[in-house]
Amino acid sequence: MGSDKKRKKKTTKHKKHKKSKHASSSDSSSDSGSSDSETSMDRRRRVAEKKARKLGKKLKTADIAGYTNEENPFGDTNLTERFVWHKKLEKQISSGVSMKDLGLRAEKQKQEQRLGEIERVKKRRIDREEEKEQMEKDMELLNRERAVAEAVELEKKEEEFHLKQAKERSTIRLRDGRGKPIDILSMNLNAEPEDFDLNSEDPIYIFAGLSLKEMKNLKQDIRMHMELETENEQHREFWEAMLIVCEAEEAEATQQEARDKARLRGEDTSSIGYEAGLHASVDDDIKAMFQGKVFAELLEMEEGIDEMILNGDGEVEYWDAVLKRLKVNKSRVRLTDIHRQLWQRALAVQAPKQKQALEEAAKKRAEERFTSPEDAEAGD
């Protein structure tokens, strides 16, 4: 009896288990059907989520482009704590983007490209700054050159104004009959060919009869014209030569004055005014040495003496004194040459006009003789 009850219980339990199993199997079949009805998009999404989480974990803790939190060019102490956009990764993975294109190596390549672009931007900025700095330097230099050019132009205009004023003063003095030696020199040098005085003397004779004071005043006037007349090469040479000759004439006048005073005191005058190395007895011989020499010959002689002094040949003091006199004589010859050039240029312009004027005057006199009263009465 007891065993039958046990059997019934087992049978009932077995049936219940089978029913439960059947029910579970039925539920499983139902779940399977529901799972089968899930779209492939959802499966890809879950796979993408899983891959994105795994990839994001790697990307978040990885060092990018070899930088660390302690050493990086950006001053960011949290450089390696990177932000990872998981949803973007899921979307990219779901859309079929390869994991190689999203992995650590690809991210490093992208980061290196970004860093490279940053470096290029920095370089362009540095280049622009350097270009700007260079432009500022060029502009500053240009402004400085412009200022210098304006100053030179202003100085040139000022010199022209002073020269014009000096010429006008000379013209007024000459017109009023109180002309100075510098007025005569400036008038002949600056005169146009048709206005040049063909009877004017060689400028080396301008010193004749001048006192020592007048020579000093003339020297100052010559220096003023040297400073003002710098554009014309011939005028510049003229005033330079005039200054050398004027200084020599002034020195000679000073020495002559000293000799005259010594003579009045009854002192010996043989050694007054003569340079070291040059005795009074040979002074005339040296002057004769230059007599009749043209400018080119004197220039060649000067070069020879310079070379002799440089090599230490002969008496240095003597040849220094000779060279000093040679330079004065060379300046006199140069003044004569310039005066001759001005005279010839003026003659070429004035001679035809004078010839024409003479011919017209002769013709007029002939006509007057032909029509004179005596000739008319004789005709009647």
Side-chain angles (χ1 to χ4, degrees), residues 41-56:
M41 182 67 72
D42 294 331
R43 287 196 299 272
R44 285 199 301 269
R45 182 176 57 78
R46 285 198 300 272
V47 172
E49 287 178 359
K50 185 177 180 181
K51 289 182 178 180
R53 284 194 299 272
K54 184 177 180 181
L55 179 60

Side-chain angles (χ1 to χ4, degrees), residues 198 347 349-359:
L198 294 175
L347 181 64
V349 174
Q350 295 183 25
K353 293 181 179 180
Q354 291 178 354
K355 182 179 179 182
Q356 182 180 359
L358 291 173
E359 290 177 350

Side-chain angles (χ1 to χ4, degrees), residues 214-227:
E214 290 173 333
M215 287 186 185
K216 291 180 178 180
N217 293 335
L218 178 58
K219 183 174 69 174
Q220 293 178 355
D221 293 335
I222 290 172
R223 283 178 174 166
M224 181 192 70
H225 279 270
M226 279 182 62
E227 294 175 357

